[in-house]
Amino acid sequence: MAQNAAQQEIVVDRVGMDYGGGSEPAIREISLGIRKGEFVSLLGPSGCGKTTLLRMMADLLEPTSGGVGIAGGTPRQARLTRKFGIVFQTPALYEWRTVRGNVELPLELAGMPRARRRERAEELLELVGLGAFAGKRPRQLSGGMQQRVSIARALAADPQILLMDEPFSALDEFTRERLGEELLGLWSRTGCTVVFVTHSIAEAAFLSDRVFVLSARPGRLSAEVEVGLPRPRVGSLRAEPEFHRLTSSIRQLFGEAEP
Amino acid sequence: MRAGAAGGWKDLALWGAAALLLWELGSWLLLERLQVPLAQSKLPYPHRVAEALARDGGKLLAEAAATLGSAAKGFLAGALAGAALALLMGASRTAERIAAPYAVASQMIPILGLAPIVYGIFRDEGMARLLIAAYIAFFPVALQMLRGLKSIRPEDRELQRVLAAGRWFAFRTLLLPASLPGLFTGLKTAAPLAVTGAILVELMGARHGIGVLMLRYLYYGPSHAYLFWCTVLLSAALGLLAYGAVALLERLLLPWQRSGPAAAGKGAGA
């Protein structure tokens, strides 16, 4: 893995997470590499450590063994130099700020002057289809709209990596699929690397270049699936037989992984 | 929302009128029908109380203003101390562990006992009123504001971490605004309490304040029953005024508390 580290945006090297206390480790020896500009999913049932792995990349957790390299440095360096944006499972918007104010938050930290900040935030909101809602409060928006604001905020400071922790799991199926399609549009425009955590096979298959399939107890990498579906992908792809073949083959991987 | 508020005022006026009528009736029953001794001290005619208020209103209001003035100063001092303590306890577990038991213990001391001690030390009624009002206001403010700080969602904090935000930025953009609803809950509890605290000190010996008049009229007995009731009602009005002022400030400073559908269920007191 070290030899092609040049094109690798994220390298996970024999990472383990052991909370101790005699219980099984949450993660055992996971190694994987993610290329620059790639869209990958970490897919697995709850307890497989997919969120834990993402949090390690984001420097919100430290592995008990092994190491994570991201954007050519440690997660800590990447965080301090603001190389990645993050979208949580909940929108995590500050309700005392307007929608625009929430998107401006990373720009404020970057020291951007007020007028440009405002302009940039509105441009981003336009991009996620919420241009008309800039002055609203977060709680005046639906769950799907709130998560869009959260994505706009994560992209505000133009990060080269976007980390997403089950961002659509609290949304209904229709909203979820629409947001997935919008996300692909954003991704192709920004060219950033996306790591997307999900427990939905269809979602992972629809969005990703590659899917890392994790299994639980202990969390480990059980398969790596190359998604050959052509891009740009649109909603009708979900009805195609090749899409079904792909999702059922991934589903079979889980069947094998379970004891 | 506007229509709802107007309906609220109409209801309030209606209920108020009904209560007054009942009061008048009860008063008449006690005095004329049941012929209870000292009936007017027990439940005076509201129109007689109103008469007394109209006659001596100027003097009563002047004394009430003195009470309100020191209560307000004490309230501010107590609120500041409470907010500072909450922020300190919110920032450091250790500070919380050390300070929390004392903050709770402070509430075990009866004000009735503390007031003469404070008065004895400072020999100044203004200072004593201020300190007692501050002492009473401090606790609910600290408690509620700390609760607000502790209810910050973990992902809201993690966002600050991912953004590599400094302490001051996190304080300004997350901790402070997140603690404001709690702060105002505490302030709304504390404001009327500060007024009662100030009145209590006046009852123990002071030259000015609505409490002084209350005590005096009580001593004068039945001949001053109407005036006594005036002081009691005025004290209640002071408490309401204090609460209303804080509630108004909350509406102005925390507009997000009211916006959207979720605000309807959480709009307690607003």
Side-chain angles (χ1 to χ4, degrees):
Chain A
M1 199 165 281
Q3 61 270 26
N4 58 2
Q7 319 91 287
Q8 299 281 27
E9 187 78 312
I10 301 172
V11 180
V12 175
D13 186 23
R14 279 164 297 159
V15 154
M17 189 72 196
D18 196 343
Y19 290 107
S23 57
E24 248 185 314
I27 290 182
R28 184 185 289 163
E29 289 245 338
I30 290 185
S31 294
L32 54 88
I34 298 165
R35 288 185 287 274
K36 221 176 179 53
E38 202 177 14
F39 195 126
V40 303
S41 288
L42 304 177
L43 171 70
S46 36
C48 72
K50 55 191 189 297
T51 290
T52 304
L53 200 56
L54 188 90
R55 292 172 67 82
M56 287 171 179
M57 296 173 187
D59 193 33
L60 292 171
L61 263 181
E62 251 182 83
T64 47
S65 62
V68 176
I70 177 165
T74 63
R76 186 179 158 74
Q77 286 163 342
R79 177 171 66 82
L80 294 179
T81 50
R82 304 189 178 121
K83 289 286 199 305
F84 58 82
I86 197 163
V87 178
F88 297 103
Q89 194 170 349
T90 60
L93 301 176
Y94 292 173
E95 58 175 12
W96 44 89
R97 289 183 162 235
T98 59
V99 165
R100 184 197 300 114
N102 271 284
V103 179
E104 280 184 32
L105 196 72
L107 304 173
E108 264 175 69
L109 265 172
M112 189 183 278
R114 187 180 292 264
R116 271 191 54 209
R117 214 157 70 198
R118 197 185 159 98
E119 200 178 318
R120 170 86 178 133
E122 275 169 6
E123 184 187 304
L124 280 155
L125 285 170
E126 207 65 59
L127 207 62
V128 296
L130 291 176
F133 295 87
K136 292 261 190 277
R137 301 277 172 189
R139 66 164 60 157
Q140 292 173 297
L141 270 53
S142 70
M145 288 157 96
Q146 289 185 22
Q147 202 55 287
R148 280 200 195 107
V149 178
S150 180
I151 293 172
R153 180 182 60 195
L155 293 173
D158 233 339
Q160 63 190 69
I161 300 164
L162 184 58
L163 302 175
M164 308 183 83
D165 184 11
E166 303 193 39
F168 307 145
S169 63
L171 306 175
D172 65 81
E173 187 90 17
F174 302 101
T175 312
R176 180 182 190 141
E177 290 187 352
R178 202 175 58 242
L179 256 60
E181 288 153 38
E182 287 176 19
L183 176 62
L184 285 184
L186 286 173
W187 168 66
S188 66
R189 239 175 293 187
T190 57
C192 61
T193 310
V194 180
V195 183
F196 190 97
V197 167
T198 179
H199 55 237
S200 159
I201 295 172
E203 193 173 48
F206 183 81
L207 296 173
S208 316
D209 294 322
R210 272 190 302 159
V211 179
F212 292 107
V213 179
L214 307 181
S215 56
R217 281 171 292 276
R220 63 203 139 75
L221 184 62
S222 64
E224 183 188 321
V225 179
E226 195 82 38
V227 179
L229 301 171
R231 294 190 188 270
R233 297 177 191 164
V234 289
S236 58
L237 173 67
R238 293 193 181 89
E240 301 285 334
E242 48 178 334
F243 185 74
H244 283 291
R245 268 199 298 280
L246 179 69
T247 51
S248 46
S249 73
I250 296 177
R251 187 163 285 119
Q252 262 171 11
L253 288 171
F254 282 110
E256 286 161 21
E258 296 305 320
Chain B
M1 189 153 197
R2 190 163 291 252
W9 284 114
K10 220 158 117 191
D11 279 2
L12 198 67
L14 218 64
W15 282 109
L20 272 178
L21 207 68
L22 270 178
W23 182 357
E24 190 84 38
L25 192 73
S27 189
W28 174 80
L29 264 178
L30 286 184
L31 186 68
E32 307 287 345
R33 282 281 129 150
L34 304 172
Q35 304 198 337
V36 176
L38 296 177
Q40 282 298 287
S41 294
K42 285 171 183 145
L43 195 66
Y45 279 126
H47 68 268
R48 298 295 300 273
V49 175
E51 272 169 36
L53 189 63
R55 201 174 51 241
D56 281 0
K59 179 180 159 199
L60 286 166
L61 281 179
E63 299 297 321
T67 304
L68 193 63
S70 34
K73 277 183 234 157
F75 169 71
L76 274 182
L80 276 177
L85 185 74
L87 288 174
L88 186 70
M89 292 199 291
S92 146
R93 280 272 144 86
T94 319
E96 190 190 349
R97 259 206 311 276
I98 294 170
Y102 292 102
V104 175
S106 76
Q107 298 307 299
M108 307 296 159
I109 304 170
I111 303 296
L112 210 58
L114 191 67
I117 297 176
V118 172
Y119 189 63
I121 293 173
F122 290 96
R123 294 256 147 236
D124 176 68
E125 54 173 284
M127 185 55 120
R129 269 190 300 208
L130 191 153
L131 280 177
I132 293 295
Y135 181 83
I136 296 181
F138 144 89
F139 189 68
V141 172
L143 190 75
Q144 295 296 341
M145 191 169 177
L146 183 63
R147 253 180 57 160
L149 282 172
K150 297 216 141 190
S151 63
I152 294 176
R153 294 169 300 192
E155 60 268 29
D156 285 355
R157 288 179 187 275
E158 282 171 356
L159 180 73
Q160 295 279 342
R161 187 178 154 83
V162 166
L163 291 173
R167 272 174 175 261
W168 169 241
F169 187 86
F171 175 76
R172 197 164 55 75
T173 60
L174 176 60
L175 296 179
L176 190 66
S179 69
L180 286 182
L183 172 68
F184 271 97
T185 306
L187 290 178
K188 281 190 286 191
T189 315
L193 286 178
V195 174
T196 359
I199 291 173
L200 197 80
V201 175
E202 290 164 359
L203 293 180
M204 325 226 104
R207 273 156 300 148
H208 288 290
I210 195 79
V212 177
L213 289 184
M214 194 186 290
L215 202 62
R216 191 178 300 158
Y217 295 146
L218 190 63
Y219 280 144
Y220 290 166
S223 62
H224 284 71
Y226 300 126
L227 278 171
F228 172 72
W229 274 75
C230 281
T231 60
V232 173
L233 291 177
L234 255 180
S235 304
L238 288 184
L240 269 175
L241 184 70
Y243 178 90
V246 176
L248 185 71
L249 197 65
E250 182 185 25
R251 285 176 74 95
L252 291 176
L253 291 182
L254 279 60
W256 71 86
Q257 288 285 86
R258 288 179 289 134
S259 59
K266 283 177 71 179

